[in-house]
Amino acid sequence: MLPLLLLAPGLLPSEPTTDLSDLFAPPTTAELLAVEADWASRNPVADGWQVEDSALIAGFRVDVVSHLVDGHRHYGAVRYPAQFQPGGSHPVLVVCHGGNNGVGLGSLLGLDSLTPGTCLEDQAFVLLPSFRGESLFAGPMGTFLSEGPTSVIDRDVDDTMAMLSCVLEEIPEADAGRVFAHGGSRGGAVTLVLSVRDERIQAAVEFFAASDHTLPSIQANCEALAAAGGGSGSNAVSNHAWIYAAEPYLAGTLSLAEARQVLHACSMAFFAHRLPPLQAHHGTADPAVLYEQSERLVEVMTDLGVAPPCFEFFSYPGGGHSAGSMPGCGQRLEDLLCDAMSGQLDLDACDCRFWPYCETSPNTVGSGASMTHSGSASVTADDLVLGCSGLPPGRPGLFFHGPLANSAPLAAGTLCVGGSITRLPVVITTASGAASWDLDVAAAGFEAGETVYFQFWYRDPAGSGATSNLSNGLGVQFCP
């Protein structure tokens, strides 16, 4: 018989955890800033460019090209426009492929059959990157294996950005001012991340892309896999979250912070304010990337106030995980991209953006102060009014701004603004606990395309000993 000491409940082996609430909890501002800092630390530059081979495929010149990224040789295909003019200027379309088994030149031809017109094939360079650890199947030119370990979505974007840089540097006819992106499934998610990270992307079209890897259904699926000791997720997004975040976290090969960063870095719902004009498509019966992913994206874009043509969503009742199940999607894709490439779509108007960010803190009158705004972000209109609500009445405070987002403790709240901070004049909060300031955009020197972060500081003696507090933050991207 075992000694009673060994049977004591506190000494029994603990059961493996299946509760992943900590992993899937909403991200903090500091965590999202860490993702952006990681992106900024990478250097997917143009290096080691080579043209490996060239052939005439279906009437088009197609080059297999390679370059170095993170020390690995990466391969892709470049299709020249049918109406290519040496010394001319042609737009660039980056096509991000789906699936996990490499990519063939059929992805280029498939785009032509999807779109009823010829504007893309006539006018645009089409770039088709393979992704690291996967092959480019280039028909008569052979098969080319990109080096490096696979890194679905995350480093796929690095490979794509580096290839784009090479093309723009090495092919003078490729117009750096007219770059667009498209992809579906995995390629749709890559398109979203690419469009957030790379300011050269002027507009994008995604088919059935994942926008948020932290949704409750994904957590539940990963917890079920943990309880079962592993296996495959019930859909592609849950499977990705399990393989790249939940499973290594439970195994101890990733810390909680590292695993959470993996999820956040491929969840563009948290970075939607940085998206260029976007067109999204999804079938309601998609079994691989559930329709809830697009519902989440629509929710976020609606909250941001982004409307057509800056954001358009097309839903296809009964549609599945294929372009063929979404009738009319090719025409809509072509309409947006061709209008954008020809200058018929006013992309500058889409630069006007407002978004709340960062955490507010409880104050003596409630749950905290929140930034508001009225007017527009147009530097020409110059009619922006900053506001703040949820404040203690009759107290002094001031709006301030800076060029960077931040998340650092200050007084009883969080400092959400970084960089060189500019303070606006002191105001007294109203009897209803509000404050406002008519911002002189011209005097402040703000320019179209510039992003500025605003916050409100106010006096509020609290029991904790702090004598002041802060609101949340408000990001503003100015437009002409």
Side-chain angles (χ1 to χ4, degrees):
M1 180 179 293
L2 291 173
L4 291 177
L5 178 63
L6 296 182
L7 297 177
L11 298 179
L12 288 175
S14 60
E15 290 293 326
T17 182
T18 59
D19 182 1
L20 295 175
S21 299
D22 288 346
L23 179 61
F24 286 90
T28 65
T29 299
E31 288 179 311
L32 298 181
L33 290 174
V35 171
E36 293 180 329
D38 176 57
W39 287 339
S41 72
R42 301 182 188 183
N43 192 31
V45 296
D47 190 25
W49 169 266
Q50 294 178 186
V51 177
E52 303 289 342
D53 205 349
S54 184
L56 195 65
I57 307 291
F60 296 90
R61 173 184 167 180
V62 177
D63 291 353
V64 172
V65 300
S66 70
H67 59 90
L68 296 174
V69 55
D70 295 338
H72 305 301
R73 185 150 293 278
H74 171 262
Y75 296 90
V78 178
R79 190 181 78 177
Y80 278 61
Q83 297 181 5
F84 173 69
Q85 295 291 327
S89 176
H90 294 273
V92 176
L93 175 62
V94 181
V95 175
C96 305
H97 75 82
N100 298 313
N101 300 308
V103 63
L105 299 184
S107 293
L108 298 175
L109 304 178
L111 181 65
D112 296 339
S113 62
L114 180 66
T115 54
T118 61
C119 120
L120 298 178
E121 51 200 273
D122 285 346
Q123 299 299 325
F125 283 99
V126 181
L127 278 54
L128 183 66
S130 63
F131 300 134
R132 62 186 65 186
E134 299 179 3
S135 293
L136 170 68
F137 302 101
M141 292 179 282
T143 298
F144 301 83
L145 176 64
S146 289
E147 299 173 346
T150 57
S151 175
V152 175
I153 301 176
D154 184 30
R155 296 288 177 173
D156 294 350
V157 178
D158 291 358
D159 298 340
T160 304
M161 291 174 67
M163 180 182 177
L164 175 60
S165 295
C166 282
V167 168
L168 295 177
E169 182 175 302
E170 300 292 338
I171 303 178
E173 293 84 358
D175 186 349
R178 292 187 292 163
V179 181
F180 308 90
H182 165 60
S185 193
R186 170 191 180 179
V190 174
T191 296
L192 288 179
V193 182
L194 173 68
S195 299
V196 163
R197 288 183 55 187
D198 196 330
E199 294 182 351
R200 296 172 296 187
I201 305 300
Q202 297 296 298
V205 179
E206 59 92 341
F207 291 172
F208 31 80
S211 67
D212 190 346
H213 282 65
T214 68
L215 293 181
S217 65
I218 300 174
Q219 176 182 341
N221 195 204
C222 287
E223 289 176 342
L225 289 171
S232 296
S234 62
N235 59 74
V237 187
S238 293
N239 207 41
H240 181 270
W242 172 253
I243 292 172
Y244 289 95
E247 187 176 36
Y249 164 60
L250 293 172
T253 56
L254 286 182
S255 69
L256 176 60
E258 291 169 335
R260 283 174 59 80
Q261 183 162 318
V262 168
L263 295 177
H264 302 154
C266 54
S267 298
M268 292 308 98
F270 301 123
F271 304 92
H273 58 278
R274 294 177 52 168
L275 284 167
L278 175 69
Q279 189 182 90
H281 302 254
H282 212 145
T284 60
D286 190 332
V289 179
L290 301 185
Y291 187 70
E292 65 179 3
Q293 291 291 331
S294 284
E295 291 179 314
R296 170 69 169 134
L297 181 62
V298 170
E299 174 189 34
V300 172
M301 298 302 273
T302 300
D303 288 346
L304 289 172
V306 185
C310 304
F311 175 69
E312 292 182 291
F313 174 64
F314 297 96
S315 175
Y316 301 85
H321 196 67
S322 68
S325 69
M326 302 189 302
C329 65
Q331 180 70 69
R332 295 177 177 118
L333 174 151
E334 184 177 57
D335 288 345
L336 173 69
L337 294 182
C338 292
D339 285 351
M341 289 176 179
S342 65
Q344 296 180 53
L345 180 65
D346 183 9
L347 298 177
D348 289 341
C350 298
D351 288 341
C352 285
R353 296 280 176 94
F354 297 93
W355 62 96
Y357 74 100
C358 198
E359 296 82 17
T360 190
S361 301
N363 55 26
T364 54
V365 295
S367 58
S370 297
M371 289 289 294
T372 61
H373 65 88
S374 61
S376 72
S378 166
V379 295
T380 302
D382 197 359
D383 61 352
L384 177 57
V385 179
L386 299 173
C388 190
S389 61
L391 297 161
R395 297 289 172 82
L398 57 83
F399 293 95
F400 62 96
H401 61 81
L404 302 173
N406 191 18
S407 179
L410 179 65
T414 300
L415 178 63
C416 303
V417 175
S420 179
I421 291 178
T422 299
R423 296 168 177 82
L424 299 176
V426 172
V427 297
I428 302 299
T429 61
T430 67
S432 61
S436 65
W437 183 261
D438 291 346
L439 185 67
D440 189 334
V441 174
F446 298 140
E447 299 179 350
E450 184 177 3
T451 297
V452 183
Y453 299 90
F454 294 89
Q455 193 173 11
F456 190 75
W457 169 91
Y458 57 98
R459 288 289 181 191
D460 188 33
S464 62
T467 60
S468 64
N469 206 334
L470 298 108
S471 68
N472 66 340
L474 176 70
V476 180
Q477 181 171 295
F478 289 94
C479 65

